[in-house]
Amino acid sequence: MFEVIFMHIKYETEGVCAKVIEYDYDNGLVCNICFDGGCPGNLQMLSKLLDGWEADKIVAVCTGNLCRNRGTSCADQLAKSLIKIEEEEKALV
């Protein structure tokens, strides 16, 4: 069985104002979320609200949230980064 202990993630976004999302991923938990760019007040609050959540819960809540006519959002990009981690973990098993 494959188990991730700790990773610091730096994810380059696509189609949103925030250019990078950084966070710590520790055995399925997400902490210390930081958005570089974007709407500061909204993203600071989002970071505080999601701190310590399980990755799959963040994916369930954030996937499909859209900003304007972009087809994505900063929250959706966070979910996409977590989905990518989950896919990579499954590939290693």
Side-chain angles (χ1 to χ4, degrees):
M1 182 177 156
F2 179 78
E3 183 177 350
V4 172
I5 303 302
F6 175 83
M7 291 189 293
H8 181 77
I9 306 298
K10 186 173 183 178
Y11 181 78
E12 294 184 19
T13 62
E14 295 180 15
V16 295
C17 297
K19 299 302 177 201
V20 174
I21 305 170
E22 291 190 58
Y23 56 89
D24 296 329
Y25 181 89
D26 190 0
N27 199 24
L29 295 179
V30 179
C31 299
N32 303 316
I33 304 165
C34 182
F35 293 85
D36 181 11
C39 305
N42 292 334
L43 295 176
Q44 287 174 13
M45 180 56 69
L46 183 64
S47 297
K48 289 178 184 178
L49 288 172
L50 300 179
D51 190 58
W53 281 29
E54 293 179 2
D56 55 351
K57 185 175 179 183
I58 293 174
V59 169
V61 170
C62 293
T63 298
N65 287 287
L66 306 180
C67 181
R68 301 180 188 151
N69 295 325
R70 298 173 186 257
T72 190
S73 69
C74 293
D76 186 61
Q77 289 290 298
L78 175 60
K80 288 177 189 290
S81 74
L82 292 167
I83 291 168
K84 185 175 179 181
I85 291 171
E86 290 174 355
E87 289 171 352
E88 290 175 4
E89 284 181 340
K90 288 178 185 175
L92 293 174
V93 175

